[in-house]
Amino acid sequence: MRIQVINPNTCQGMTDKIASAAQQVALADTHIIASSPKHGPASIESAFDDVIASAALMDEIAAGVEQQVDAHIIACFGDPALDAARELATAPVIGIAEAAFHMATLVSHRFSVVTTMSSTINTAHSLLHKYGFEDHCVNVRATDIPVLTLEQISDEIFHTLLAECRQALLVDKAEAIVLGCAGMADIAARLQHDLQIPVIDGVTAAVKLAESLVQLGLKTSKIGSYRPRQVKPFIGRYQHWGA
Amino acid sequence: MRIQVINPNTCQGMTDKIASAAQQVALADTHIIASSPKHGPASIESAFDDVIASAALMDEIAAGVEQQVDAHIIACFGDPALDAARELATAPVIGIAEAAFHMATLVSHRFSVVTTMSSTINTAHSLLHKYGFEDHCVNVRATDIPVLTLEQISDEIFHTLLAECRQALLVDKAEAIVLGCAGMADIAARLQHDLQIPVIDGVTAAVKLAESLVQLGLKTSKIGSYRPRQVKPFIGRYQHWGA
Amino acid sequence: MRIQVINPNTCQGMTDKIASAAQQVALADTHIIASSPKHGPASIESAFDDVIASAALMDEIAAGVEQQVDAHIIACFGDPALDAARELATAPVIGIAEAAFHMATLVSHRFSVVTTMSSTINTAHSLLHKYGFEDHCVNVRATDIPVLTLEQISDEIFHTLLAECRQALLVDKAEAIVLGCAGMADIAARLQHDLQIPVIDGVTAAVKLAESLVQLGLKTSKIGSYRPRQVKPFIGRYQHWGA
Amino acid sequence: MRIQVINPNTCQGMTDKIASAAQQVALADTHIIASSPKHGPASIESAFDDVIASAALMDEIAAGVEQQVDAHIIACFGDPALDAARELATAPVIGIAEAAFHMATLVSHRFSVVTTMSSTINTAHSLLHKYGFEDHCVNVRATDIPVLTLEQISDEIFHTLLAECRQALLVDKAEAIVLGCAGMADIAARLQHDLQIPVIDGVTAAVKLAESLVQLGLKTSKIGSYRPRQVKPFIGRYQHWGA
Amino acid sequence: MRIQVINPNTCQGMTDKIASAAQQVALADTHIIASSPKHGPASIESAFDDVIASAALMDEIAAGVEQQVDAHIIACFGDPALDAARELATAPVIGIAEAAFHMATLVSHRFSVVTTMSSTINTAHSLLHKYGFEDHCVNVRATDIPVLTLEQISDEIFHTLLAECRQALLVDKAEAIVLGCAGMADIAARLQHDLQIPVIDGVTAAVKLAESLVQLGLKTSKIGSYRPRQVKPFIGRYQHWGA
Amino acid sequence: MRIQVINPNTCQGMTDKIASAAQQVALADTHIIASSPKHGPASIESAFDDVIASAALMDEIAAGVEQQVDAHIIACFGDPALDAARELATAPVIGIAEAAFHMATLVSHRFSVVTTMSSTINTAHSLLHKYGFEDHCVNVRATDIPVLTLEQISDEIFHTLLAECRQALLVDKAEAIVLGCAGMADIAARLQHDLQIPVIDGVTAAVKLAESLVQLGLKTSKIGSYRPRQVKPFIGRYQHWGA
């Protein structure tokens, strides 16, 4: 099967890193198609970044639809434009935040999120509510590490993240950790080894969920919430979406 | 004072209609500056439309900031990109859905929303939750009237809307009606006259709330959730947002 | 227009102070009619005080109805007898707590209340739930300053309040402050200047909301929850309410 | 032990009826002291009636405190002024709505309330939320029978109530019925016999709960929410409450 | 009347202690029938213990049904198998956790639970939600005292519990204490005396509630949730439950 | 990998059917080990059945732990004893209800459950709350088809289920269907084909989730909620669990 993994920001290093993490857990016959938008911010760390990246992301989803991929993954922890993507697609679309949350509740009763910038905390809370995991997430902890720093995770950053995870265990009584950024995929195993509790990365979680849905023959429901959008006029730089 | 009223879709007729409704309730010394994006969909009736319109809307907010307007109004009932707009602005930013909800709870215990397309019902529910008005809204009723039909409201459309309002009174036991589209501003008074209960339009409600905030000296809080965005590289058609 | 501003306690100094705050933000052609009950407690700091003041408040509302005022404001942060007042009135009735909460959510994502006696904390929480603002208010902080001390706010009291606000910023991560007593109206601007975030006083907020509703032609819905009370026999000191 | 049962309205027939119902379930050595206020409405069917009756009720509670009764019961289904009464009292204070709700959840998973006037539905819902029984009550059904009609329950009224209960079973899937007015105490057994499911009257439920608390040595907690009120000046017809 | 009080663990000393506490508060003509299962764990301190004890408990309930007791009490703070017991019984069935919670909310606005092992905290929270008392319970505090240590409460254990209660008052602002284990029944009065706020033990609370329900003629509703189970084949050690 | 799939009831035909459904979606190198308890009810259709089956289920989990399986699946839609099983196991443990709910929210915004007996509706609602999916499930629809009838699904039963699903689409506006019984695994595809929306069976969903967790290296967190049980004395038929 072919799974499109979209990095919604425009940093190629991050796209490569995500692709590599995805490939590592994919089944032998799963082909990972990584992409990122041609337009938009280098990283997504605010509501503004999210809004701009979301519009650009739509082109990537449309490209995936045209290539008839079997599933789409939105690999940014804010799950930007997830509902709009489901309107465009018929294959399943999975956000990495939701993927991580689902997996976390299967192996723990209460988890904490360890993330990058404080400016993303509101988004995480809003997603937790949307998906129904509010009561299972005890805390969202920001480390104020800029997203792009994660392209190459230094020892110092690793230990900052490890220390924050330990606080989650001690203070929040968290039983598992959800990593709050696609850029942390490569250190999940190392953190899990040091902490001896489940540490969940959304990119790899989303790949397994996408494969699962495909194997079960489940696609995005096209009645109700995700019914196909109506074609209508668009002007200016969005003219290509029009009738 | 100068209030920027942005119609987030690209239909000029709708922009004119909104501007006229806004001007009618504004104070004598309030100057309404109506605008709409140069890019994007002719109407907003799905999550996809919302995502595209949101990105284009950012340019309008930035223009308003440059003109040092005293308040910004986002005149689409989905309150698109409201949080992102508050990151850009220092003046107050008000969405017309939130404006209508606030006013409705001041004159009734429970209200219903009467709106256009069924595809916007999810958005309305999600906004009601976000703002905290879930327990006060009994129902969101769609009439499946396309948004652009509202540019000129025919007698037939008026009576369809009136009939739906009556259902809200009878079935939902609604005590007030919130109109779910900026394009309905001009018939609120007529509906209120016929129904003899409060009928609230978001555009006019937002204008009065904007004036109120300005007169009270209240601006968007710039610490925490709406702190100014960090400048960073943007590429492609969003390059102008970059460093 | 004429707006009745009722101080529900019987302290004349407080009534004068509230009237002055209200007048300061009112439009040029708004006439503020301040009043306070002829019966009841000098201040409202407990459920018991609230119950007694509420009964006396009804006479004031009735007087306002007879004078055909355009709106009524209940200027005590517990919003005493708000629903009962709406049964008596046809014009809008606004409580200052609800007014302040509404305004706070328009300029911040999360706010804290800074109030007087600890004995009023329960009431504040119960109002936040009733109106739907529970998720937006992070904390209700009492200073245990007796209400009547606020008649003349000394420098010491001002600094106690300022310190409590600073705690709200630091500890609660509040983005705006709601002042929890009508007696604090005159220091809102000074606190806002020192804190550099929105500081909202309910009296002034209520005046602007009342003016807004009147200008929008919105009155209390008289079907359902606030339908007119049925006339019936009353005895003793409430005989005047009877048939 | 001595239990004060207060009918908060001023209809003597209702007071007698409540006293008789209370006495019937009381233990042999329980002395029921029935009373009703000297001031206020003949019946409580709106927020306005509730506000007036609440103030008058305070005098009755104070009388009970002076007589050193072992428990106070507020025998109106709106539980008027319950919190204020707990500030005045040291003995337990029980409202008949809360009493009925507690008992209902011990013998059923979901119950419906069958009550008098539609104008009391909001109050019932607000109490259900306050006490935490929202998820256990499926519906609040009004029959629009005026409260005072219940002084002598005719066969017609009995059958109206029975029919409403049957609807609750069929439509709401209710497993028990809570009767929504103190005036229905005498027909609970007859309804239970006809319906073959638990039918709970608040007056008798409150008597048993009051006896239970007394026998367990449990009194109203006087720290925090129900701490004694502070003495302060009161004027006019409430002067007797002052310093 | 005859009330069956079942200790769901298999420790005879605990059964005796519970029986004695129950008898002390029972009415003169109430006969307490204490029992405990012939199978299962010596104490219940985990979900696993709860599952095993629950199955064994069913035999005791069935024995009580055969003896036609007037009410059943499940005297373990996890209220194990309460719903299943209500399916078997027609008389009322009361859990001691629910009993204690009900009583606590009648004499306080907010209470804390002081319990034994941390491993029971999740169960307590889940019960609080189920019954609707989540907003009334501020905290569940574990002391990590093993349940069986409570058979004989030493001075050291008493002071550990007392200290934890004091923390609840100071830190949680609790207004009453609910004791989280049947084994604490004998020290409730002593703790209440030292703390001067209500201290509630579930065993005694359940006895009074059971007597109250019986005197009110209220039995478990046998339609809906607690309808009688359908007879069907059972094999192995549960063969006696079969057709 | 080896996955233990436990049918918690004692009907061998059902076990075979579940095993076959599980095997069909499993990866080539996944070995399904199906089992069912030696003790307990032929089907689980009430809280009583659930309690008895839960105790017997513990032996199966323990057997799986001894065989060092890579994951355990509890294949009854009530997810009986899931938390207790997680205390015993270190490998992941998945219930089929939770598995189906997770998958449903990835391909739809709102789903309905179509299940067997009405007596299982309460359990489904309680699970939806526990997992956080309350807002995503619009309705739980019972068909009152006895569980064991599903061993061989006749055309009549298929059409009863299909008709109920169609009601869910029309009345509930459901966008996907979750099948509420392990015995329906074999008709999910046929229903999905006829309805043209996602139809989710819990057994197959659980197999894919179990494989995913194993491939991600995620195991049950053994700190906090699911820490290993403490060994202690057990008597009678549960003696084998003791020290």
Side-chain angles (χ1 to χ4, degrees):
Chain A
M1 86 186 69
R2 290 177 318 139
I3 299 178
Q4 182 188 36
V5 179
I6 310 170
N7 169 22
N9 74 34
T10 55
C11 166
Q12 186 61 40
M14 194 68 83
T15 310
D16 295 345
K17 197 172 168 178
I18 289 169
S20 151
Q23 199 66 63
Q24 257 170 37
V25 298
L27 294 173
D29 59 352
T30 296
H31 184 49
I32 298 293
I33 303 172
S35 78
S36 63
K38 278 155 214 66
H39 311 270
S43 64
I44 303 176
E45 297 166 321
S46 67
F48 175 80
D49 293 344
D50 186 294
V51 158
I52 299 300
S54 288
L57 179 59
M58 293 294 96
D59 293 309
E60 298 308 304
I61 296 285
V65 170
E66 202 155 312
Q67 295 167 60
Q68 297 182 292
V69 299
D70 296 290
H72 311 259
I73 289 171
I74 299 178
C76 166
F77 201 78
D79 290 359
L82 183 56
D83 289 334
R86 286 181 178 152
E87 286 176 7
L88 285 186
T90 51
V93 188
I94 298 175
I96 64 167
E98 70 174 342
F101 297 152
H102 282 280
M103 290 310 195
T105 64
L106 292 174
V107 291
S108 72
H109 183 71
R110 34 193 281 147
F111 61 84
S112 284
V113 175
V114 171
T115 189
T116 52
M117 305 299 284
S118 313
S119 46
T120 66
I121 293 180
N122 275 358
T123 302
H125 281 295
S126 147
L127 293 179
L128 286 162
H129 167 77
K130 178 181 173 186
Y131 303 137
F133 297 123
E134 270 175 325
D135 289 349
H136 290 271
C137 179
V138 227
N139 204 357
V140 178
R141 294 178 161 270
T143 52
D144 282 321
I145 297 171
V147 166
L148 294 184
T149 318
L150 297 175
E151 229 186 302
Q152 295 289 340
I153 296 183
S154 66
D155 257 24
E156 193 194 334
I157 286 178
F158 177 81
H159 282 101
T160 302
L161 290 167
L162 182 61
E164 197 69 35
C165 292
R166 289 206 198 281
Q167 283 303 98
L169 267 74
L170 278 173
V171 180
D172 309 344
K173 309 283 179 206
E175 301 167 8
I177 299 292
V178 163
L179 297 177
C181 182
M184 298 178 187
D186 53 340
I187 55 161
R190 199 172 147 203
L191 286 169
Q192 179 166 295
H193 176 268
D194 285 9
L195 294 165
Q196 289 294 306
I197 58 161
V199 175
I200 296 122
D201 155 61
V203 175
T204 52
V207 170
K208 301 318 290 182
L209 287 176
E211 289 177 341
S212 296
L213 290 172
V214 174
Q215 289 168 342
L216 292 169
L218 295 171
K219 297 185 177 181
T220 299
S221 178
K222 297 308 289 182
I223 62 169
S225 305
Y226 308 128
R227 82 194 75 177
R229 70 185 187 95
Q230 286 187 290
V231 177
K232 65 179 60 170
F234 280 72
I235 63 171
R237 60 188 180 226
Y238 302 112
Q239 204 176 327
H240 60 292
W241 288 113
Chain B
M1 86 185 69
R2 293 178 313 140
I3 298 180
Q4 181 188 34
V5 179
I6 310 170
N7 168 23
N9 73 34
T10 56
C11 166
Q12 185 62 40
M14 194 67 82
T15 310
D16 295 345
K17 197 173 170 179
I18 289 167
S20 152
Q23 198 66 64
Q24 257 170 37
V25 298
L27 294 173
D29 59 351
T30 296
H31 183 50
I32 299 292
I33 304 170
S35 78
S36 63
K38 278 152 216 70
H39 311 271
S43 63
I44 302 177
E45 296 166 323
S46 65
F48 174 81
D49 293 345
D50 185 294
V51 158
I52 300 299
S54 288
L57 179 58
M58 292 297 95
D59 294 309
E60 298 309 303
I61 296 286
V65 170
E66 202 155 314
Q67 295 166 62
Q68 297 182 293
V69 300
D70 295 291
H72 312 259
I73 290 173
I74 298 177
C76 167
F77 201 77
D79 290 358
L82 183 55
D83 290 333
R86 284 181 179 153
E87 286 175 7
L88 285 186
T90 50
V93 187
I94 298 176
I96 66 168
E98 69 174 340
F101 297 152
H102 282 281
M103 290 310 196
T105 63
L106 292 175
V107 291
S108 71
H109 183 71
R110 28 190 289 147
F111 61 85
S112 284
V113 175
V114 171
T115 188
T116 52
M117 306 298 285
S118 312
S119 47
T120 66
I121 293 181
N122 275 357
T123 301
H125 281 296
S126 146
L127 292 178
L128 285 162
H129 167 77
K130 179 182 171 185
Y131 304 136
F133 296 124
E134 272 175 324
D135 289 349
H136 291 271
C137 178
V138 228
N139 205 357
V140 178
R141 295 178 160 271
T143 52
D144 282 321
I145 298 170
V147 167
L148 294 185
T149 319
L150 298 175
E151 229 186 303
Q152 294 289 342
I153 296 183
S154 67
D155 258 22
E156 194 195 333
I157 286 178
F158 177 81
H159 282 102
T160 302
L161 289 167
L162 182 61
E164 196 69 35
C165 291
R166 289 206 198 281
Q167 284 302 99
L169 266 74
L170 278 174
V171 180
D172 310 343
K173 309 284 180 206
E175 302 167 8
I177 300 291
V178 164
L179 298 177
C181 182
M184 299 178 184
D186 54 341
I187 56 162
R190 199 172 148 205
L191 287 169
Q192 179 166 295
H193 177 267
D194 286 8
L195 295 164
Q196 288 295 305
I197 59 160
V199 175
I200 295 122
D201 155 61
V203 175
T204 51
V207 170
K208 299 318 289 182
L209 285 176
E211 289 177 340
S212 296
L213 290 173
V214 173
Q215 289 168 341
L216 292 169
L218 295 171
K219 299 187 176 180
T220 299
S221 177
K222 297 307 288 182
I223 61 167
S225 305
Y226 309 128
R227 82 193 76 178
R229 71 184 187 96
Q230 285 187 290
V231 177
K232 62 179 60 167
F234 280 72
I235 64 171
R237 59 189 180 225
Y238 302 113
Q239 204 177 329
H240 59 293
W241 289 111
Chain C
M1 87 185 68
R2 292 179 313 141
I3 298 178
Q4 181 188 36
V5 180
I6 310 171
N7 168 23
N9 73 34
T10 54
C11 166
Q12 186 59 40
M14 193 69 81
T15 310
D16 295 345
K17 197 172 168 178
I18 290 168
S20 151
Q23 200 65 62
Q24 257 171 37
V25 297
L27 294 172
D29 59 352
T30 296
H31 183 49
I32 298 293
I33 304 172
S35 79
S36 63
K38 278 155 213 66
H39 311 270
S43 63
I44 302 177
E45 296 166 321
S46 66
F48 174 81
D49 294 345
D50 185 295
V51 158
I52 299 298
S54 288
L57 179 59
M58 294 295 95
D59 293 308
E60 298 309 303
I61 296 285
V65 171
E66 202 155 314
Q67 295 167 62
Q68 297 182 293
V69 298
D70 296 290
H72 312 259
I73 290 172
I74 299 179
C76 166
F77 201 78
D79 289 359
L82 182 57
D83 290 333
R86 284 180 178 153
E87 286 176 7
L88 286 186
T90 51
V93 187
I94 298 175
I96 64 166
E98 69 174 342
F101 297 152
H102 282 280
M103 291 311 195
T105 64
L106 293 173
V107 290
S108 72
H109 183 71
R110 32 192 283 146
F111 61 84
S112 285
V113 176
V114 171
T115 189
T116 52
M117 305 299 285
S118 312
S119 46
T120 67
I121 293 180
N122 275 358
T123 301
H125 280 296
S126 147
L127 292 178
L128 286 162
H129 168 77
K130 178 181 173 187
Y131 304 137
F133 297 124
E134 270 175 326
D135 289 349
H136 290 271
C137 178
V138 228
N139 205 356
V140 178
R141 294 179 162 269
T143 51
D144 283 320
I145 298 171
V147 167
L148 295 185
T149 318
L150 298 174
E151 231 186 302
Q152 295 290 341
I153 297 182
S154 67
D155 258 23
E156 194 195 332
I157 287 178
F158 177 82
H159 282 101
T160 301
L161 290 167
L162 182 62
E164 197 69 36
C165 292
R166 289 207 199 280
Q167 284 302 99
L169 267 75
L170 278 174
V171 180
D172 310 344
K173 309 282 181 207
E175 302 167 8
I177 299 291
V178 164
L179 298 177
C181 181
M184 300 179 187
D186 53 341
I187 55 162
R190 199 172 147 205
L191 286 169
Q192 179 166 296
H193 177 269
D194 286 7
L195 294 165
Q196 288 294 305
I197 60 161
V199 175
I200 297 122
D201 155 62
V203 175
T204 52
V207 170
K208 299 320 288 182
L209 286 176
E211 289 177 342
S212 296
L213 290 172
V214 173
Q215 289 168 342
L216 292 168
L218 295 171
K219 298 185 177 181
T220 299
S221 178
K222 297 308 289 180
I223 62 169
S225 304
Y226 309 128
R227 83 194 73 180
R229 69 183 188 97
Q230 285 187 291
V231 176
K232 63 179 60 168
F234 281 72
I235 62 171
R237 60 186 179 227
Y238 302 112
Q239 203 176 326
H240 59 293
W241 289 112
Chain D
M1 85 186 72
R2 293 178 314 141
I3 299 178
Q4 182 188 34
V5 180
I6 310 171
N7 168 22
N9 74 33
T10 55
C11 166
Q12 185 60 41
M14 195 67 83
T15 310
D16 295 345
K17 197 173 170 177
I18 289 168
S20 151
Q23 198 66 64
Q24 257 170 40
V25 298
L27 294 173
D29 59 351
T30 297
H31 183 49
I32 299 293
I33 304 171
S35 78
S36 63
K38 278 152 215 68
H39 312 270
S43 63
I44 302 176
E45 296 166 323
S46 67
F48 175 82
D49 293 345
D50 185 294
V51 157
I52 300 299
S54 288
L57 179 59
M58 293 295 95
D59 293 309
E60 297 309 304
I61 295 286
V65 170
E66 202 155 315
Q67 294 167 61
Q68 296 182 292
V69 299
D70 295 291
H72 313 258
I73 290 172
I74 298 178
C76 166
F77 202 77
D79 291 357
L82 182 56
D83 290 334
R86 285 182 178 152
E87 286 175 7
L88 285 185
T90 50
V93 187
I94 298 175
I96 66 167
E98 68 173 344
F101 296 153
H102 282 280
M103 290 310 195
T105 62
L106 293 175
V107 292
S108 71
H109 183 71
R110 28 192 287 146
F111 62 85
S112 284
V113 175
V114 171
T115 188
T116 52
M117 305 299 284
S118 312
S119 47
T120 66
I121 292 180
N122 275 356
T123 301
H125 280 296
S126 147
L127 293 178
L128 285 162
H129 167 76
K130 179 181 171 186
Y131 303 137
F133 297 123
E134 271 176 324
D135 289 349
H136 291 271
C137 179
V138 228
N139 205 356
V140 178
R141 295 179 160 271
T143 51
D144 282 321
I145 298 171
V147 167
L148 294 185
T149 319
L150 297 175
E151 229 186 302
Q152 294 290 341
I153 297 182
S154 68
D155 258 22
E156 194 195 333
I157 287 178
F158 177 82
H159 282 101
T160 302
L161 289 167
L162 183 61
E164 197 69 35
C165 292
R166 289 206 200 281
Q167 283 303 99
L169 266 74
L170 278 173
V171 179
D172 310 343
K173 308 283 181 206
E175 303 168 7
I177 300 291
V178 164
L179 298 177
C181 182
M184 299 178 185
D186 55 339
I187 55 162
R190 198 171 149 205
L191 286 169
Q192 178 165 296
H193 177 268
D194 285 9
L195 295 164
Q196 288 295 303
I197 58 161
V199 175
I200 296 122
D201 156 61
V203 175
T204 51
V207 169
K208 300 318 290 182
L209 285 176
E211 290 177 341
S212 296
L213 290 173
V214 173
Q215 289 168 342
L216 292 169
L218 295 172
K219 299 187 176 181
T220 299
S221 177
K222 298 307 289 181
I223 62 167
S225 304
Y226 308 128
R227 82 194 76 179
R229 70 183 187 96
Q230 286 187 289
V231 177
K232 63 179 59 169
F234 281 71
I235 63 172
R237 58 189 180 227
Y238 302 113
Q239 203 177 329
H240 58 294
W241 289 111
Chain E
M1 85 186 69
R2 291 179 313 141
I3 299 178
Q4 181 187 36
V5 179
I6 309 171
N7 169 22
N9 73 35
T10 54
C11 166
Q12 186 59 43
M14 194 69 82
T15 311
D16 295 345
K17 197 171 168 178
I18 290 168
S20 150
Q23 199 65 65
Q24 255 169 40
V25 298
L27 294 173
D29 59 351
T30 296
H31 183 49
I32 299 294
I33 304 172
S35 79
S36 63
K38 279 155 214 65
H39 310 270
S43 64
I44 302 177
E45 296 166 322
S46 67
F48 174 81
D49 294 343
D50 185 295
V51 158
I52 300 299
S54 288
L57 179 60
M58 293 295 96
D59 293 308
E60 298 309 303
I61 296 286
V65 171
E66 203 155 312
Q67 295 167 60
Q68 297 183 292
V69 299
D70 295 289
H72 312 259
I73 290 172
I74 298 178
C76 166
F77 201 78
D79 290 358
L82 182 57
D83 289 334
R86 284 181 179 153
E87 286 176 8
L88 286 186
T90 51
V93 188
I94 298 175
I96 65 166
E98 69 173 341
F101 297 152
H102 281 280
M103 290 311 195
T105 62
L106 292 174
V107 291
S108 72
H109 183 70
R110 33 192 283 148
F111 61 85
S112 284
V113 175
V114 171
T115 188
T116 52
M117 304 299 285
S118 312
S119 46
T120 66
I121 293 180
N122 275 357
T123 302
H125 280 297
S126 147
L127 293 179
L128 286 161
H129 168 77
K130 178 181 173 187
Y131 303 136
F133 297 123
E134 270 175 325
D135 289 350
H136 290 270
C137 178
V138 227
N139 204 356
V140 178
R141 294 179 162 269
T143 51
D144 283 320
I145 297 171
V147 167
L148 294 185
T149 318
L150 298 174
E151 231 187 300
Q152 295 290 341
I153 297 183
S154 66
D155 258 23
E156 194 194 333
I157 287 178
F158 177 82
H159 282 101
T160 302
L161 290 166
L162 182 61
E164 197 70 35
C165 293
R166 289 206 199 280
Q167 283 302 98
L169 267 75
L170 278 174
V171 179
D172 310 342
K173 308 283 180 207
E175 302 168 7
I177 299 291
V178 164
L179 298 177
C181 182
M184 299 178 186
D186 53 341
I187 55 161
R190 199 171 147 204
L191 286 169
Q192 179 165 296
H193 177 268
D194 286 8
L195 295 164
Q196 289 294 306
I197 59 161
V199 175
I200 297 123
D201 156 61
V203 175
T204 51
V207 169
K208 300 319 288 182
L209 286 176
E211 288 177 340
S212 296
L213 291 172
V214 173
Q215 288 168 343
L216 292 169
L218 295 171
K219 298 186 177 181
T220 299
S221 177
K222 298 308 290 183
I223 63 169
S225 305
Y226 309 127
R227 83 195 74 180
R229 69 184 188 96
Q230 285 187 290
V231 177
K232 64 180 60 169
F234 280 71
I235 62 171
R237 60 188 180 227
Y238 302 112
Q239 204 177 327
H240 59 292
W241 288 111
Chain F
M1 87 186 68
R2 293 178 312 141
I3 299 179
Q4 181 188 35
V5 179
I6 310 171
N7 168 22
N9 73 34
T10 55
C11 166
Q12 185 60 40
M14 195 66 84
T15 310
D16 295 345
K17 197 173 169 178
I18 290 168
S20 150
Q23 198 67 65
Q24 257 169 38
V25 297
L27 294 173
D29 59 351
T30 296
H31 183 50
I32 299 293
I33 304 171
S35 78
S36 64
K38 278 151 216 70
H39 310 271
S43 64
I44 302 177
E45 296 167 322
S46 66
F48 175 81
D49 294 345
D50 185 294
V51 158
I52 300 299
S54 289
L57 179 59
M58 293 295 95
D59 293 309
E60 298 309 304
I61 296 286
V65 170
E66 203 156 313
Q67 295 167 62
Q68 296 182 295
V69 299
D70 294 292
H72 312 258
I73 290 172
I74 298 178
C76 166
F77 201 78
D79 290 357
L82 182 56
D83 290 334
R86 285 182 177 150
E87 286 175 6
L88 285 186
T90 51
V93 187
I94 298 175
I96 65 167
E98 69 173 342
F101 296 152
H102 282 281
M103 290 309 196
T105 62
L106 292 175
V107 291
S108 71
H109 184 71
R110 28 192 286 146
F111 61 86
S112 283
V113 176
V114 171
T115 189
T116 52
M117 305 298 286
S118 313
S119 47
T120 67
I121 293 180
N122 275 357
T123 301
H125 280 296
S126 146
L127 292 178
L128 286 162
H129 168 76
K130 178 181 171 186
Y131 303 137
F133 297 123
E134 272 175 324
D135 289 350
H136 291 271
C137 178
V138 228
N139 204 357
V140 178
R141 293 178 162 271
T143 51
D144 282 321
I145 296 171
V147 167
L148 295 186
T149 318
L150 297 175
E151 229 186 302
Q152 293 291 341
I153 296 181
S154 67
D155 257 22
E156 194 195 333
I157 287 177
F158 177 82
H159 282 101
T160 303
L161 290 167
L162 183 61
E164 196 70 34
C165 292
R166 288 206 199 282
Q167 284 302 99
L169 267 74
L170 278 173
V171 180
D172 311 343
K173 308 283 181 206
E175 302 167 7
I177 299 291
V178 164
L179 298 177
C181 182
M184 299 179 186
D186 54 341
I187 55 163
R190 199 171 147 205
L191 287 169
Q192 179 166 295
H193 177 268
D194 286 8
L195 295 164
Q196 288 295 304
I197 59 161
V199 175
I200 296 124
D201 155 61
V203 175
T204 51
V207 169
K208 300 318 288 182
L209 286 176
E211 289 177 341
S212 296
L213 290 172
V214 173
Q215 288 168 342
L216 292 169
L218 294 172
K219 299 187 176 179
T220 299
S221 177
K222 297 308 288 181
I223 62 168
S225 305
Y226 309 128
R227 83 194 75 178
R229 70 181 187 97
Q230 285 187 291
V231 177
K232 63 179 60 168
F234 280 71
I235 63 171
R237 59 190 180 225
Y238 302 113
Q239 203 177 329
H240 59 294
W241 288 112

